[in-house]
Amino acid sequence: MVIKQHIKHILKLPLAILLLASTSCTSTLQVEGEFPRPVIHQLPLQVAVHYQDDFRRYRYVEKSEKRSKWEIEIGSAQVALFDTVLPAMFENVVQVSGISPQENTDIDLFFEPYVEEFQYNMPRETKVNMFEVWIKYNMKVYDGQGALIADWILTAYGKTPTAFMKSEENALNEAMIIALRDVGAGLSLKFSHIPEINSWLNKQGQLQ
Amino acid sequence: MKNEHQLTKGLFLLLTLALSACTSVTIDQVKHVPSELKAGESIVVIGRRSGTDYETEPELISCIGKTLLKGDNPMNVIPEQEFVNRLYPWFEARTAPVHVWDLQRLLSFDEIAKIIDEYNVHYIVWVDGVTEKTRGGGSISCGLSPAGVSCFGFGTWDEKAEYEASVWDYRTKKLVGKVSSIADGTSYMPAIVIPIPLLAQVQSQACSAMASQLQNFFSGSPDQAN
């Protein structure tokens, strides 16, 4: 009986080491948060939004050997942001599976966001005691016939200071949410100022 | 018995050190016009987040707000996050009004004016600054012994909290004054078996000083603390 117990303990040890090694190698972060609805002028437009699968499931995996291993899942958080911001910007927003004017005849604009680039900085990597996140988005807007009207870059930046008793995951999540709020602010406030969109809205008589 | 005596001595030493981990605070106030918060009126305390290498800590803003809610003359303080969320995206780091005259532009949008009126905001207090470590010294080494992990050494570091609050009168759209607070303190960490941090409460002292200055600022007294 005693020997059996010893064997049990001996078997437990490598299992625990293995478990510890596997958890300490890669940190995974599923970005989570809530976004407020913007207080802005709403444009009387019917807009169809298309999220590609890459966008919907966007996940950053750190490949550099010199950095800690991180897997950051941003997809669902960024979809939640656009799902909150777009209905505040436009009178009617629907999701579509592609830019297909034939199937969506009453649509004024098609909107398609992409993530061009994602970067982050941990406090130990910089002299600043700050978790920082940059996301470079490419926004594409097509007219109701599927012709590209505008294609512009929108950068998002979020930072959060290191704090006592705050885990790296929580701090990075906070910086991510601030960055996503930043892109929501940039999109909702600058949309009609993009020259090509401004010109299109003028032609449609949508600008006051 | 001997061990107990040594432990008591150690604790006494630590307590003495804790008392010496003190903080000095310098406050200043400039009031351009008399300011008074009437019954039913509210203030908003918001942190500036536009700095590139620092960020006014949300916990400091929350601390000032909570302190203003207490005391002999409690004020109506709207929580920062609630206000910023209700007025999203106009008070984000990159979109927030930088000058008091920017408020006029913001308020040309009826929906924003309506929300601020709903809160009955009279003053908006912008707090800018940070608490940072200015110097560190000493060393602590930890090692594995038969009794477990044990540490030995002594660490010390200085912290400086420097904050300035600009008070905007939402009704007149004017800057009515500024309140500032600078707090310095030294923290110690003696390590005998385990490290024991004796922290100088620099940020919380800065918070108390700011809150007390703001209470004085809105008390309606005509004094000019230039």
Side-chain angles (χ1 to χ4, degrees):
Chain A
M1 191 68 182
V2 176
I3 295 166
K4 214 175 174 184
Q5 262 187 347
H6 273 293
I7 291 169
K8 237 179 172 180
H9 281 298
I10 289 163
L11 283 175
K12 263 182 184 173
L13 190 69
L15 196 71
I17 292 168
L18 199 71
L19 202 69
L20 199 72
S22 66
T23 52
S24 63
C25 277
T26 306
S27 306
T28 308
L29 172 67
Q30 166 81 53
V31 180
E32 279 172 2
E34 287 179 6
F35 305 99
R37 189 183 165 91
V39 184
I40 43 168
H41 286 297
Q42 196 175 52
L43 291 166
L45 298 171
Q46 314 287 314
V47 173
V49 56
H50 176 230
Y51 303 124
Q52 290 200 351
D53 277 353
D54 284 356
F55 182 85
R56 209 182 269 282
R57 297 188 195 129
Y58 188 86
R59 176 187 228 220
Y60 178 84
V61 180
E62 184 55 64
K63 293 190 178 91
S64 169
E65 292 295 321
K66 292 173 187 165
R67 302 185 84 186
S68 313
K69 295 283 165 247
W70 274 91
E71 284 183 15
I72 306 169
E73 292 179 25
I74 312 162
S76 56
Q78 63 189 9
V79 166
L81 171 90
F82 283 97
D83 280 351
T84 310
V85 170
L86 293 172
M89 291 173 64
F90 308 110
E91 203 172 82
N92 192 27
V93 179
V94 290
Q95 276 191 37
V96 288
S97 54
I99 312 294
S100 47
Q102 303 82 3
E103 291 167 34
N104 303 277
T105 49
D106 53 348
I107 293 298
D108 298 309
L109 292 173
F110 288 93
F111 177 79
E112 199 176 41
Y114 292 94
V115 178
E116 287 257 320
E117 210 179 325
F118 174 86
Q119 284 180 36
Y120 69 93
N121 257 339
M122 303 302 247
R124 61 177 168 269
E125 295 169 325
T126 56
K127 286 178 185 168
V128 184
N129 270 345
M130 208 79 77
F131 288 86
E132 292 177 295
V133 167
W134 293 265
I135 314 171
K136 194 158 109 184
Y137 284 95
N138 184 322
M139 308 292 185
K140 283 184 193 294
V141 172
Y142 304 83
D143 69 9
Q145 283 71 51
L148 185 70
I149 301 175
D151 176 358
W152 76 103
I153 296 293
L154 189 57
T155 53
Y157 173 67
K159 67 177 191 296
T160 189
T162 53
F164 187 57
M165 299 295 278
K166 189 158 73 174
S167 70
E168 282 193 334
E169 282 82 1
N170 283 345
L172 203 55
N173 190 75
E174 213 171 293
M176 281 294 317
I177 297 300
I178 295 167
L180 290 172
R181 285 177 70 120
D182 188 40
V183 80
L187 178 66
S188 57
L189 297 178
K190 290 179 194 160
F191 182 78
S192 54
H193 299 285
I194 302 295
E196 297 88 344
I197 289 178
N198 190 278
S199 151
W200 184 87
L201 288 170
N202 259 322
K203 276 185 203 159
Q204 309 296 312
Q206 298 290 3
L207 285 183
Q208 290 169 356
Chain B
M1 195 66 186
K2 198 179 170 186
N3 276 351
E4 267 181 26
H5 183 67
Q6 275 181 337
L7 192 70
T8 317
K9 260 173 104 177
L11 284 172
F12 181 75
L13 180 73
L14 290 181
L15 194 70
T16 316
L17 273 169
L19 288 172
S20 61
C22 61
T23 307
S24 68
V25 184
T26 312
I27 48 172
D28 197 10
Q29 188 187 110
V30 180
K31 198 192 269 192
H32 304 308
V33 284
S35 48
E36 190 181 6
L37 197 68
K38 296 193 177 85
E41 291 179 340
S42 311
I43 69 161
V44 189
V45 185
I46 317 180
R48 280 274 177 217
R49 308 272 147 69
S50 49
T52 48
D53 55 349
Y54 72 92
E55 181 169 276
T56 307
E57 303 89 342
E59 59 266 27
L60 175 99
I61 305 300
S62 155
C63 170
I64 295 174
K66 280 177 189 163
T67 313
L68 292 175
L69 280 167
K70 297 179 214 156
D72 294 337
N73 298 306
M75 297 176 191
N76 290 334
V77 185
I78 299 153
E80 180 188 33
Q81 201 57 51
E82 180 188 324
F83 185 79
V84 170
N85 282 350
R86 277 292 307 273
L87 290 158
Y88 179 72
W90 302 96
F91 283 81
E92 296 300 293
R94 283 207 272 188
T95 59
V98 178
H99 302 106
V100 69
W101 56 83
D102 292 338
L103 273 181
Q104 208 65 54
R105 180 183 51 86
L106 256 186
L107 297 168
S108 61
F109 187 17
D110 293 345
E111 194 62 28
I112 295 172
K114 206 176 114 190
I115 294 169
I116 300 181
D117 285 344
E118 217 177 274
Y119 282 121
N120 201 12
V121 171
H122 192 162
Y123 296 103
I124 300 176
V125 181
W126 286 100
V127 183
D128 195 3
V130 71
T131 299
E132 57 188 350
K133 195 168 124 181
T134 52
R135 185 196 64 87
S139 73
I140 296 173
S141 55
C142 296
L144 200 62
S145 71
V149 179
S150 69
C151 301
F152 187 77
F154 187 79
T156 174
W157 65 94
D158 292 343
E159 274 184 305
K160 186 171 193 172
E162 203 167 352
Y163 295 99
E164 184 182 70
S166 303
V167 184
W168 294 0
D169 187 329
Y170 171 71
R171 303 274 156 84
T172 61
K173 316 289 180 291
K174 281 184 179 156
L175 173 77
V176 289
K178 288 193 176 192
V179 167
S180 67
S181 146
I182 300 170
D184 291 288
T186 306
S187 298
Y188 305 100
M189 180 125 74
I192 308 159
V193 183
I194 53 158
I196 300 161
L198 304 166
L199 305 176
Q201 304 297 315
V202 178
Q203 196 187 56
S204 62
Q205 290 289 324
C207 159
S208 305
M210 284 294 262
S212 136
Q213 283 290 294
L214 287 169
Q215 271 161 343
N216 175 263
F217 196 93
F218 296 121
S219 64
S221 59
D223 64 302
Q224 305 286 310
N226 287 314

